[in-house]
Amino acid sequence: ADGGERRRAVGLRLDAGDATDPAVSARPEVVFVQAGAVEVVTPEAIVALGKGDTMTVPVGLERTYRAAAGTAELVIVRGSD
């Protein structure tokens, strides 16, 4: 069994200039960039990610995902504590 851990994967497509609303997750997230380029905007920094890049977003970090140029396609996996 999985010890009660639950993970959820969601796909996200952002067209050029699109961005998500700022959000804070109660679970850690792993972001996989499948196509394009995306900026992960936090209060402290802007992290640029391109195709094939991965980033772990810790619990409690406010972030926005923004397409850097063209269309960006992401898979975001939300894990357990």
Side-chain angles (χ1 to χ4, degrees):
D2 64 6
E5 293 182 11
R6 302 188 78 168
R7 289 179 181 79
R8 180 173 172 228
V10 295
L12 178 62
R13 179 185 167 119
L14 298 169
D15 291 324
D18 286 351
T20 62
D21 291 330
V24 176
S25 182
R27 295 178 179 242
E29 293 182 346
V30 178
V31 180
F32 302 96
V33 182
Q34 290 192 312
V38 67
E39 295 174 333
V40 182
V41 181
T42 74
E44 294 81 24
I46 297 174
V47 179
L49 302 175
K51 181 179 178 179
D53 287 342
T54 303
M55 177 179 176
T56 301
V57 180
V59 172
L61 179 66
E62 180 180 304
R63 76 277 182 258
T64 299
Y65 299 113
R66 179 172 64 199
T71 299
E73 295 180 7
L74 315 174
V75 173
I76 301 170
V77 179
R78 292 188 179 109
S80 61
D81 300 335

